[in-house]
Amino acid sequence: MAHANRRNANGRNTNGKKARNGGNSGNRGNAGNRGNAGNGNRTGPAGTSRGARGELRALRREVPCTVGLLADERDFAAMRRYRTFTFDDHRRYLRQIDRLLRTLATEGAHTSVALFDPEEFAEYCAETGHAPDTAASRGRFTARIAATGGALVPYTGQPVEQLVPQLINTAVRKATWEYATMVLADLGECADCGVDIGRASFDRASRLLTHLIERAGPGEHHLVCSIPTPDEQLLAALHLERPDTGPARLDASGSAEFVTILAAGIALDSPGGVVLRTTGPGAPDRLHGWRLRGGTLAPLSEGQVFSAYCTDADTGEPLSPEPGVEYRAGFDLGIEDPDIHR
């Protein structure tokens, strides 16, 4: 099926003349629909047909493509119950996905990869009335993932061995962010003053992150926030660069995720924490840590930071210190007022 059909993730039709159906700027999805970026009819003299084909190829490069990917063997096995899904080996399927992505890259169009979830696909088909055992339905579902802000990873030539963990990590981060957002939204208003607790917690977390970045100084910084909740452990990571002069350079979406997770910990009064790893040229890495307490980040001592990093979380046994790393106390963030409602 991989060589006969150019169907995205679940077998995509390779017959280019029949697969490029309707809809300008269409999603190429599992069904391989590239949208009708222009027709190939020769509307002018015979001498202009070559130019028309060139224009058509140029327009096709404007059409984005989304490839749905079954990342693990369990999801792959779940899709094998459909007769029209003809792959029977997950490793071979991934190799074909890799070939498909490289082929699409040669065409010059922007390609993204979406995590294809068989359970969500079945629910989608039940809700919409689409027959699940068709490539067209798989294509529609993949297009829906892209249209509704699902987990997507841009394809930049990375091999599928790197792409799969990137995609899974993106999906986990998105699910974590959605859960933390739901926690904040469900808290409602303060019974005493009417302030929205979720919004106040988010604003507080934003201030804490801003002060932390300002006081961290120049260098490459990697922040990790860990928040235990009644349902699951929430984790967020943020990488940023702080030049000697000028503002810090960081990813806006990553920053929003980090603040949302920290805000959930503030709102729930959770015993979470934040660690900072700073890397600079010609110097050992520096590790700092803070404990979330009373709506703020309280600095850990040097010994507490060392203990946190050099103790096995499962057994409590000591671990060897990481070479080339300095364990330092957390620094004060300069925020005095709690300024939070719980």
mmCIF file with all atom_site columns, all heavy atoms in Angstrom, residues 270-289:
data_model
loop_
_atom_site.group_PDB
_atom_site.id
_atom_site.type_symbol
_atom_site.label_atom_id
_atom_site.label_alt_id
_atom_site.label_comp_id
_atom_site.label_asym_id
_atom_site.label_entity_id
_atom_site.label_seq_id
_atom_site.pdbx_PDB_ins_code
_atom_site.Cartn_x
_atom_site.Cartn_y
_atom_site.Cartn_z
_atom_site.occupancy
_atom_site.B_iso_or_equiv
_atom_site.pdbx_formal_charge
_atom_site.auth_seq_id
_atom_site.auth_comp_id
_atom_site.auth_asym_id
_atom_site.auth_atom_id
_atom_site.pdbx_PDB_model_num
ATOM 1   N N   . SER A 1 270 ? 0.362  23.889 45.521 1.00 0.00 ? 270 SER A N   1
ATOM 2   C CA  . SER A 1 270 ? 1.064  22.617 45.389 1.00 0.00 ? 270 SER A CA  1
ATOM 3   C C   . SER A 1 270 ? 2.520  22.752 45.818 1.00 0.00 ? 270 SER A C   1
ATOM 4   O O   . SER A 1 270 ? 3.146  23.798 45.603 1.00 0.00 ? 270 SER A O   1
ATOM 5   C CB  . SER A 1 270 ? 1.003  22.144 43.930 1.00 0.00 ? 270 SER A CB  1
ATOM 6   O OG  . SER A 1 270 ? 1.823  21.030 43.717 1.00 0.00 ? 270 SER A OG  1
ATOM 7   N N   . PRO A 1 271 ? 3.096  21.707 46.400 1.00 0.00 ? 271 PRO A N   1
ATOM 8   C CA  . PRO A 1 271 ? 4.515  21.743 46.789 1.00 0.00 ? 271 PRO A CA  1
ATOM 9   C C   . PRO A 1 271 ? 5.437  21.444 45.618 1.00 0.00 ? 271 PRO A C   1
ATOM 10  O O   . PRO A 1 271 ? 6.204  20.472 45.626 1.00 0.00 ? 271 PRO A O   1
ATOM 11  C CB  . PRO A 1 271 ? 4.605  20.650 47.858 1.00 0.00 ? 271 PRO A CB  1
ATOM 12  C CG  . PRO A 1 271 ? 3.592  19.640 47.429 1.00 0.00 ? 271 PRO A CG  1
ATOM 13  C CD  . PRO A 1 271 ? 2.452  20.451 46.835 1.00 0.00 ? 271 PRO A CD  1
ATOM 14  N N   . GLY A 1 272 ? 5.358  22.268 44.592 1.00 0.00 ? 272 GLY A N   1
ATOM 15  C CA  . GLY A 1 272 ? 6.174  22.052 43.406 1.00 0.00 ? 272 GLY A CA  1
ATOM 16  C C   . GLY A 1 272 ? 7.485  22.802 43.491 1.00 0.00 ? 272 GLY A C   1
ATOM 17  O O   . GLY A 1 272 ? 7.897  23.280 44.556 1.00 0.00 ? 272 GLY A O   1
ATOM 18  N N   . GLY A 1 273 ? 8.151  22.914 42.368 1.00 0.00 ? 273 GLY A N   1
ATOM 19  C CA  . GLY A 1 273 ? 9.425  23.614 42.359 1.00 0.00 ? 273 GLY A CA  1
ATOM 20  C C   . GLY A 1 273 ? 9.891  23.941 40.957 1.00 0.00 ? 273 GLY A C   1
ATOM 21  O O   . GLY A 1 273 ? 9.321  23.482 39.963 1.00 0.00 ? 273 GLY A O   1
ATOM 22  N N   . VAL A 1 274 ? 10.955 24.754 40.897 1.00 0.00 ? 274 VAL A N   1
ATOM 23  C CA  . VAL A 1 274 ? 11.566 25.172 39.641 1.00 0.00 ? 274 VAL A CA  1
ATOM 24  C C   . VAL A 1 274 ? 13.074 25.025 39.774 1.00 0.00 ? 274 VAL A C   1
ATOM 25  O O   . VAL A 1 274 ? 13.650 25.365 40.816 1.00 0.00 ? 274 VAL A O   1
ATOM 26  C CB  . VAL A 1 274 ? 11.209 26.636 39.299 1.00 0.00 ? 274 VAL A CB  1
ATOM 27  C CG1 . VAL A 1 274 ? 12.027 27.138 38.106 1.00 0.00 ? 274 VAL A CG1 1
ATOM 28  C CG2 . VAL A 1 274 ? 9.727  26.771 39.000 1.00 0.00 ? 274 VAL A CG2 1
ATOM 29  N N   . VAL A 1 275 ? 13.713 24.492 38.739 1.00 0.00 ? 275 VAL A N   1
ATOM 30  C CA  . VAL A 1 275 ? 15.165 24.415 38.691 1.00 0.00 ? 275 VAL A CA  1
ATOM 31  C C   . VAL A 1 275 ? 15.654 25.139 37.450 1.00 0.00 ? 275 VAL A C   1
ATOM 32  O O   . VAL A 1 275 ? 14.974 25.176 36.415 1.00 0.00 ? 275 VAL A O   1
ATOM 33  C CB  . VAL A 1 275 ? 15.670 22.955 38.700 1.00 0.00 ? 275 VAL A CB  1
ATOM 34  C CG1 . VAL A 1 275 ? 15.356 22.288 40.024 1.00 0.00 ? 275 VAL A CG1 1
ATOM 35  C CG2 . VAL A 1 275 ? 15.080 22.160 37.549 1.00 0.00 ? 275 VAL A CG2 1
ATOM 36  N N   . LEU A 1 276 ? 16.827 25.726 37.571 1.00 0.00 ? 276 LEU A N   1
ATOM 37  C CA  . LEU A 1 276 ? 17.442 26.501 36.493 1.00 0.00 ? 276 LEU A CA  1
ATOM 38  C C   . LEU A 1 276 ? 18.846 25.987 36.249 1.00 0.00 ? 276 LEU A C   1
ATOM 39  O O   . LEU A 1 276 ? 19.639 25.866 37.185 1.00 0.00 ? 276 LEU A O   1
ATOM 40  C CB  . LEU A 1 276 ? 17.492 27.986 36.871 1.00 0.00 ? 276 LEU A CB  1
ATOM 41  C CG  . LEU A 1 276 ? 18.398 28.884 36.014 1.00 0.00 ? 276 LEU A CG  1
ATOM 42  C CD1 . LEU A 1 276 ? 17.844 29.002 34.598 1.00 0.00 ? 276 LEU A CD1 1
ATOM 43  C CD2 . LEU A 1 276 ? 18.550 30.251 36.652 1.00 0.00 ? 276 LEU A CD2 1
ATOM 44  N N   . ARG A 1 277 ? 19.146 25.694 35.009 1.00 0.00 ? 277 ARG A N   1
ATOM 45  C CA  . ARG A 1 277 ? 20.501 25.297 34.598 1.00 0.00 ? 277 ARG A CA  1
ATOM 46  C C   . ARG A 1 277 ? 21.016 26.347 33.626 1.00 0.00 ? 277 ARG A C   1
ATOM 47  O O   . ARG A 1 277 ? 20.388 26.610 32.592 1.00 0.00 ? 277 ARG A O   1
ATOM 48  C CB  . ARG A 1 277 ? 20.490 23.920 33.945 1.00 0.00 ? 277 ARG A CB  1
ATOM 49  C CG  . ARG A 1 277 ? 21.893 23.382 33.632 1.00 0.00 ? 277 ARG A CG  1
ATOM 50  C CD  . ARG A 1 277 ? 21.815 22.021 32.966 1.00 0.00 ? 277 ARG A CD  1
ATOM 51  N NE  . ARG A 1 277 ? 23.131 21.406 32.875 1.00 0.00 ? 277 ARG A NE  1
ATOM 52  C CZ  . ARG A 1 277 ? 23.457 20.256 33.443 1.00 0.00 ? 277 ARG A CZ  1
ATOM 53  N NH1 . ARG A 1 277 ? 22.551 19.584 34.154 1.00 0.00 ? 277 ARG A NH1 1
ATOM 54  N NH2 . ARG A 1 277 ? 24.667 19.759 33.312 1.00 0.00 ? 277 ARG A NH2 1
ATOM 55  N N   . THR A 1 278 ? 22.165 26.929 33.965 1.00 0.00 ? 278 THR A N   1
ATOM 56  C CA  . THR A 1 278 ? 22.744 27.990 33.146 1.00 0.00 ? 278 THR A CA  1
ATOM 57  C C   . THR A 1 278 ? 24.057 27.509 32.557 1.00 0.00 ? 278 THR A C   1
ATOM 58  O O   . THR A 1 278 ? 24.915 26.970 33.272 1.00 0.00 ? 278 THR A O   1
ATOM 59  C CB  . THR A 1 278 ? 22.974 29.258 33.986 1.00 0.00 ? 278 THR A CB  1
ATOM 60  O OG1 . THR A 1 278 ? 21.720 29.718 34.494 1.00 0.00 ? 278 THR A OG1 1
ATOM 61  C CG2 . THR A 1 278 ? 23.599 30.351 33.139 1.00 0.00 ? 278 THR A CG2 1
ATOM 62  N N   . THR A 1 279 ? 24.216 27.723 31.259 1.00 0.00 ? 279 THR A N   1
ATOM 63  C CA  . THR A 1 279 ? 25.422 27.321 30.539 1.00 0.00 ? 279 THR A CA  1
ATOM 64  C C   . THR A 1 279 ? 26.058 28.545 29.910 1.00 0.00 ? 279 THR A C   1
ATOM 65  O O   . THR A 1 279 ? 25.372 29.364 29.289 1.00 0.00 ? 279 THR A O   1
ATOM 66  C CB  . THR A 1 279 ? 25.080 26.296 29.442 1.00 0.00 ? 279 THR A CB  1
ATOM 67  O OG1 . THR A 1 279 ? 24.432 25.174 30.031 1.00 0.00 ? 279 THR A OG1 1
ATOM 68  C CG2 . THR A 1 279 ? 26.328 25.826 28.725 1.00 0.00 ? 279 THR A CG2 1
ATOM 69  N N   . GLY A 1 280 ? 27.360 28.669 30.094 1.00 0.00 ? 280 GLY A N   1
ATOM 70  C CA  . GLY A 1 280 ? 28.091 29.775 29.494 1.00 0.00 ? 280 GLY A CA  1
ATOM 71  C C   . GLY A 1 280 ? 29.431 29.304 28.981 1.00 0.00 ? 280 GLY A C   1
ATOM 72  O O   . GLY A 1 280 ? 29.961 28.290 29.440 1.00 0.00 ? 280 GLY A O   1
ATOM 73  N N   . PRO A 1 281 ? 30.022 30.024 28.034 1.00 0.00 ? 281 PRO A N   1
ATOM 74  C CA  . PRO A 1 281 ? 31.312 29.609 27.464 1.00 0.00 ? 281 PRO A CA  1
ATOM 75  C C   . PRO A 1 281 ? 32.433 29.673 28.495 1.00 0.00 ? 281 PRO A C   1
ATOM 76  O O   . PRO A 1 281 ? 32.556 30.634 29.253 1.00 0.00 ? 281 PRO A O   1
ATOM 77  C CB  . PRO A 1 281 ? 31.524 30.611 26.322 1.00 0.00 ? 281 PRO A CB  1
ATOM 78  C CG  . PRO A 1 281 ? 30.704 31.813 26.703 1.00 0.00 ? 281 PRO A CG  1
ATOM 79  C CD  . PRO A 1 281 ? 29.532 31.284 27.453 1.00 0.00 ? 281 PRO A CD  1
ATOM 80  N N   . GLY A 1 282 ? 33.244 28.625 28.534 1.00 0.00 ? 282 GLY A N   1
ATOM 81  C CA  . GLY A 1 282 ? 34.416 28.617 29.395 1.00 0.00 ? 282 GLY A CA  1
ATOM 82  C C   . GLY A 1 282 ? 34.126 28.547 30.871 1.00 0.00 ? 282 GLY A C   1
ATOM 83  O O   . GLY A 1 282 ? 34.987 28.903 31.690 1.00 0.00 ? 282 GLY A O   1
ATOM 84  N N   . ALA A 1 283 ? 32.941 28.095 31.254 1.00 0.00 ? 283 ALA A N   1
ATOM 85  C CA  . ALA A 1 283 ? 32.584 28.031 32.672 1.00 0.00 ? 283 ALA A CA  1
ATOM 86  C C   . ALA A 1 283 ? 31.732 26.800 32.911 1.00 0.00 ? 283 ALA A C   1
ATOM 87  O O   . ALA A 1 283 ? 31.021 26.333 32.009 1.00 0.00 ? 283 ALA A O   1
ATOM 88  C CB  . ALA A 1 283 ? 31.821 29.291 33.089 1.00 0.00 ? 283 ALA A CB  1
ATOM 89  N N   . PRO A 1 284 ? 31.772 26.230 34.126 1.00 0.00 ? 284 PRO A N   1
ATOM 90  C CA  . PRO A 1 284 ? 30.911 25.073 34.419 1.00 0.00 ? 284 PRO A CA  1
ATOM 91  C C   . PRO A 1 284 ? 29.447 25.463 34.448 1.00 0.00 ? 284 PRO A C   1
ATOM 92  O O   . PRO A 1 284 ? 29.095 26.626 34.688 1.00 0.00 ? 284 PRO A O   1
ATOM 93  C CB  . PRO A 1 284 ? 31.400 24.620 35.802 1.00 0.00 ? 284 PRO A CB  1
ATOM 94  C CG  . PRO A 1 284 ? 32.018 25.835 36.410 1.00 0.00 ? 284 PRO A CG  1
ATOM 95  C CD  . PRO A 1 284 ? 32.620 26.602 35.285 1.00 0.00 ? 284 PRO A CD  1
ATOM 96  N N   . ASP A 1 285 ? 28.587 24.498 34.185 1.00 0.00 ? 285 ASP A N   1
ATOM 97  C CA  . ASP A 1 285 ? 27.152 24.747 34.303 1.00 0.00 ? 285 ASP A CA  1
ATOM 98  C C   . ASP A 1 285 ? 26.804 25.076 35.746 1.00 0.00 ? 285 ASP A C   1
ATOM 99  O O   . ASP A 1 285 ? 27.416 24.556 36.694 1.00 0.00 ? 285 ASP A O   1
ATOM 100 C CB  . ASP A 1 285 ? 26.354 23.526 33.846 1.00 0.00 ? 285 ASP A CB  1
ATOM 101 C CG  . ASP A 1 285 ? 26.426 23.320 32.346 1.00 0.00 ? 285 ASP A CG  1
ATOM 102 O OD1 . ASP A 1 285 ? 27.125 24.094 31.673 1.00 0.00 ? 285 ASP A OD1 1
ATOM 103 O OD2 . ASP A 1 285 ? 25.778 22.373 31.860 1.00 0.00 ? 285 ASP A OD2 1
ATOM 104 N N   . ARG A 1 286 ? 25.788 25.919 35.921 1.00 0.00 ? 286 ARG A N   1
ATOM 105 C CA  . ARG A 1 286 ? 25.328 26.289 37.262 1.00 0.00 ? 286 ARG A CA  1
ATOM 106 C C   . ARG A 1 286 ? 23.880 25.835 37.439 1.00 0.00 ? 286 ARG A C   1
ATOM 107 O O   . ARG A 1 286 ? 23.043 26.059 36.551 1.00 0.00 ? 286 ARG A O   1
ATOM 108 C CB  . ARG A 1 286 ? 25.420 27.798 37.485 1.00 0.00 ? 286 ARG A CB  1
ATOM 109 C CG  . ARG A 1 286 ? 26.797 28.374 37.240 1.00 0.00 ? 286 ARG A CG  1
ATOM 110 C CD  . ARG A 1 286 ? 26.882 29.834 37.679 1.00 0.00 ? 286 ARG A CD  1
ATOM 111 N NE  . ARG A 1 286 ? 25.847 30.659 37.072 1.00 0.00 ? 286 ARG A NE  1
ATOM 112 C CZ  . ARG A 1 286 ? 25.958 31.233 35.884 1.00 0.00 ? 286 ARG A CZ  1
ATOM 113 N NH1 . ARG A 1 286 ? 27.061 31.040 35.147 1.00 0.00 ? 286 ARG A NH1 1
ATOM 114 N NH2 . ARG A 1 286 ? 24.991 31.994 35.397 1.00 0.00 ? 286 ARG A NH2 1
ATOM 115 N N   . LEU A 1 287 ? 23.597 25.211 38.573 1.00 0.00 ? 287 LEU A N   1
ATOM 116 C CA  . LEU A 1 287 ? 22.253 24.748 38.890 1.00 0.00 ? 287 LEU A CA  1
ATOM 117 C C   . LEU A 1 287 ? 21.724 25.511 40.090 1.00 0.00 ? 287 LEU A C   1
ATOM 118 O O   . LEU A 1 287 ? 22.396 25.630 41.120 1.00 0.00 ? 287 LEU A O   1
ATOM 119 C CB  . LEU A 1 287 ? 22.257 23.247 39.187 1.00 0.00 ? 287 LEU A CB  1
ATOM 120 C CG  . LEU A 1 287 ? 22.609 22.317 38.023 1.00 0.00 ? 287 LEU A CG  1
ATOM 121 C CD1 . LEU A 1 287 ? 22.702 20.876 38.509 1.00 0.00 ? 287 LEU A CD1 1
ATOM 122 C CD2 . LEU A 1 287 ? 21.579 22.427 36.916 1.00 0.00 ? 287 LEU A CD2 1
ATOM 123 N N   . HIS A 1 288 ? 20.501 26.045 39.946 1.00 0.00 ? 288 HIS A N   1
ATOM 124 C CA  . HIS A 1 288 ? 19.808 26.750 41.029 1.00 0.00 ? 288 HIS A CA  1
ATOM 125 C C   . HIS A 1 288 ? 18.431 26.114 41.207 1.00 0.00 ? 288 HIS A C   1
ATOM 126 O O   . HIS A 1 288 ? 17.889 25.508 40.276 1.00 0.00 ? 288 HIS A O   1
ATOM 127 C CB  . HIS A 1 288 ? 19.631 28.230 40.706 1.00 0.00 ? 288 HIS A CB  1
ATOM 128 C CG  . HIS A 1 288 ? 20.916 28.961 40.434 1.00 0.00 ? 288 HIS A CG  1
ATOM 129 N ND1 . HIS A 1 288 ? 21.619 29.631 41.400 1.00 0.00 ? 288 HIS A ND1 1
ATOM 130 C CD2 . HIS A 1 288 ? 21.625 29.113 39.275 1.00 0.00 ? 288 HIS A CD2 1
ATOM 131 C CE1 . HIS A 1 288 ? 22.705 30.185 40.869 1.00 0.00 ? 288 HIS A CE1 1
ATOM 132 N NE2 . HIS A 1 288 ? 22.729 29.879 39.567 1.00 0.00 ? 288 HIS A NE2 1
ATOM 133 N N   . GLY A 1 289 ? 17.838 26.284 42.374 1.00 0.00 ? 289 GLY A N   1
ATOM 134 C CA  . GLY A 1 289 ? 16.522 25.698 42.615 1.00 0.00 ? 289 GLY A CA  1
ATOM 135 C C   . GLY A 1 289 ? 15.672 26.525 43.546 1.00 0.00 ? 289 GLY A C   1
ATOM 136 O O   . GLY A 1 289 ? 16.182 27.288 44.386 1.00 0.00 ? 289 GLY A O   1
#
